[in-house]
Amino acid sequence: MDTRFPFVDWFRNASPYINAHRGRTFVILVEGEAMASGRGEQLIQDLALLHTLGVRLVVVFGIRPQVQQALMTAGIVPTRHDGRWVADSTVMAQVEQVAAHQRLWLEARLSLGLPSTPLHGVELTVVSGNLVMAKPLGVRDGVDFDHSGEVRRVRGGAIQGLLDKGSLVLLSPLGFSSTGEVFDLDASEVAQQTAVALNADKLILLGESEGLRDEAGALLRQLTPAEAEPRLEHAQTDSELRRHLQAACNASRQGVARTHLLSWHNHDALLGELFTRDGVGTMITQHRYEQLRPATLNDIAGLLDLLEPLERRGMLVARSRERLEHEIDDYVVIERDGMVIGCAALHEFPQSDIAELACVAVHSSYRGGERGERLVEALERRARKHNISSLFVLTTHTAHWFVEHGFRPATLEELPPLKRDTYNQARKSKVLLKELV
């Protein structure tokens, strides 16, 4: 009897991402609303899972709703200006108390190891401290913000040292000055500045919104900072989405490779974004100098320059300018500062649900950065949209690479008739096939 377990298939599909994330540095912001809503327990379990998978974690937690509740209970009505409250001595006393309580609660939950809990057998070392230096906002528009501050400097070296020792670093939205004062900070700014200071691989912002949507309401999966920043004009000044979007764009422009906007309302958001092909939120990526896009006729010269060395070595079949012009709509390219540094093509066949993945090439100076994987993934997505069920490749030099990316050895009989009839017997290319699920 064939018993199927959906989890097993998911686990198999997630394995490439498990390997890709191991040893990477992620800065994750969890807004206070997530904890206030009771989502804290599961988020902590997901964070612990990431830690056990070898991810270097810095977790920043927000406390806005908890502070607001504390102020209401104490009968304190704070002065607000430009989306921030003025942290005078009475407000700051509540902020410090809530931050300390929230930090202790998180440390306690990350220490949980009872046999009946998901953290059984996981031993986490959680470290926090004076790792964020701050300065006062000062007087703005005639308003003295007192102990409301902004990040002056993140002690990146100290945090890296803690991560090197296997610790999970926990940061509150508080900062410290050289004069010994404590300042109330914006948690999203703390997360952004920390990600930049660490040159983090990812900045993940867990808030109310699952990401950005287009005019028709469809979720936007990927944007560059240049594409995302105009949306700041339409966001409310003091809204969480505005703060997160601003942090994402700033981090991207300052070297953080990928920033993810996710919703804590979705119980699977964190793991779903990290361990599935398409993700569940919006990703802001720094493609100011590098982007993957459909090829155009203007790319022909760049394609010829990229492919010629590989054709000369016999790794690719020679393609004329005329052939490239005729098939240009089949290609995607990676462009870096005006130069084509990678390409791949998807050739479809009439009345067939199998297509050819061809001409996967990356410039020799830019290999090792997962660009080949990005090209293949982009064309797999295109193939699925066109109801293609399988992809095949013909290769003489890179069979192992394709096998590592889900292809299996196949025979000529499995190819479309047109391709089978034009197979070059002299090259003796290996045939590999991948079913798209």
Side-chain angles (χ1 to χ4, degrees):
M1 182 176 64
D2 182 19
T3 303
R4 302 289 294 175
F5 296 97
F7 167 76
V8 175
D9 288 334
W10 179 90
F11 194 65
R12 290 191 183 110
N13 293 330
S15 60
Y17 303 101
I18 294 173
N19 292 325
H21 297 331
R22 186 177 294 114
R24 304 292 187 178
T25 300
F26 295 177
V27 176
I28 301 178
L29 167 64
V30 181
E31 288 288 4
E33 286 80 2
M35 299 300 177
S37 70
R39 280 281 289 114
E41 295 282 356
Q42 185 177 351
L43 281 171
I44 287 170
Q45 293 167 17
D46 291 348
L47 294 172
L49 175 59
L50 291 178
H51 180 83
T52 61
L53 293 175
V55 178
R56 295 155 57 93
L57 284 180
V58 178
V59 178
V60 182
F61 63 90
I63 55 173
R64 281 193 171 208
Q66 292 87 346
V67 171
Q68 289 170 345
Q69 182 60 50
L71 293 173
M72 186 181 302
T73 301
I76 301 170
V77 180
T79 300
R80 299 186 67 89
H81 181 73
D82 198 24
R84 292 285 297 270
W85 54 50
V86 174
D88 58 21
S89 57
T90 57
V91 170
M92 200 61 198
Q94 300 296 325
V95 170
E96 292 176 3
Q97 183 177 359
V98 169
H101 180 271
Q102 193 68 26
R103 177 179 60 81
L104 290 172
W105 185 85
L106 286 166
E107 289 178 353
R109 305 313 293 174
L110 287 166
S111 302
L112 189 64
L114 295 175
S116 59
T117 68
L119 293 180
H120 176 57
V122 178
E123 189 170 282
L124 281 171
T125 300
V126 183
V127 180
S128 58
N130 61 336
L131 298 168
V132 178
M133 309 307 293
K135 59 183 178 181
L137 285 175
V139 179
R140 303 192 179 189
D141 300 325
V143 177
D144 186 347
F145 277 89
D146 207 349
H147 280 81
S148 295
E150 59 187 348
V151 176
R152 181 173 187 174
R153 178 173 60 89
V154 174
R155 298 177 59 195
I159 296 175
Q160 290 282 17
L162 294 169
L163 295 174
D164 290 343
K165 294 178 181 178
S167 300
L168 183 154
V169 177
L170 188 63
L171 299 179
S172 69
L174 297 179
F176 305 89
S177 72
S178 56
T179 58
E181 296 176 284
V182 183
F183 289 94
D184 174 47
L185 304 177
D186 182 343
S188 58
E189 186 197 3
V190 173
Q192 171 211 317
Q193 297 283 13
T194 301
V196 171
L198 297 176
N199 193 25
D201 298 283
K202 290 183 183 293
L203 169 61
I204 300 172
L205 305 171
L206 280 161
E208 291 276 352
S209 174
E210 63 181 332
L212 302 175
R213 295 187 175 276
D214 63 16
E215 290 71 15
L219 185 65
L220 295 167
R221 296 293 189 184
Q222 183 173 327
L223 294 171
T224 65
E227 293 168 334
E229 281 176 332
R231 297 174 180 274
L232 288 168
E233 301 175 3
H234 307 293
Q236 293 182 1
T237 302
D238 60 346
S239 68
E240 178 190 88
L241 181 59
R242 181 184 179 87
R243 292 186 289 109
H244 284 194
L245 183 55
Q246 186 70 71
C249 292
N250 290 345
S252 183
R253 291 199 181 281
Q254 295 179 74
V256 177
R258 296 180 176 185
T259 298
H260 303 258
L261 304 179
L262 305 176
S263 173
W264 52 262
H265 288 286
N266 181 348
H267 287 210
D268 299 327
L270 184 57
L271 300 184
E273 182 73 3
L274 294 174
F275 297 104
T276 62
R277 179 181 291 107
D278 296 324
V280 298
T282 296
M283 180 171 66
I284 310 295
T285 62
Q286 52 166 354
H287 282 172
R288 187 175 182 181
Y289 298 109
E290 181 173 319
Q291 60 175 325
L292 190 156
R293 58 171 175 77
T296 69
L297 290 174
N298 293 331
D299 297 316
I300 297 296
L303 284 169
L304 290 169
D305 289 342
L306 172 66
L307 300 178
E308 192 274 333
L310 300 174
E311 294 169 353
R312 191 171 61 246
R313 293 167 57 190
M315 298 179 69
L316 293 176
V317 174
R319 289 165 171 81
S320 66
R321 177 181 291 272
E322 291 74 22
R323 179 179 174 183
L324 287 173
E325 289 176 351
H326 178 69
E327 298 177 342
I328 194 64
D329 290 339
D330 294 353
Y331 282 76
V332 293
V333 298
I334 296 178
E335 177 192 9
R336 183 178 178 87
D337 202 16
M339 175 183 176
V340 175
I341 64 168
C343 73
L346 181 72
H347 301 316
E348 300 182 38
F349 297 86
Q351 287 81 51
S352 177
D353 65 348
I354 182 172
E356 181 182 11
L357 178 65
C359 201
V360 180
V362 177
H363 191 283
S364 59
S365 298
Y366 294 96
R367 291 174 190 158
E370 299 182 348
R371 293 180 176 88
E373 288 85 345
R374 288 171 53 201
L375 289 163
V376 172
E377 288 174 1
L379 290 183
E380 286 181 356
R381 287 194 295 270
R382 178 187 290 186
R384 289 187 180 90
K385 288 181 180 178
H386 293 182
N387 297 317
I388 300 298
S389 64
S390 302
L391 296 178
F392 72 90
V393 294
L394 301 178
T395 180
T396 56
H397 287 65
T398 56
H400 281 190
W401 188 89
F402 284 103
V403 169
E404 291 170 358
H405 290 81
F407 286 77
R408 62 167 177 82
T411 64
L412 282 176
E413 287 68 30
E414 295 177 79
L415 301 184
L418 179 61
K419 193 67 182 182
R420 195 166 56 232
D421 295 340
T422 58
Y423 177 80
N424 188 336
Q425 295 289 344
R427 281 181 60 83
K428 296 188 183 303
S429 300
K430 293 183 181 295
V431 181
L432 300 167
L433 187 74
K434 181 177 183 178
E435 285 82 16
L436 300 179
V437 294

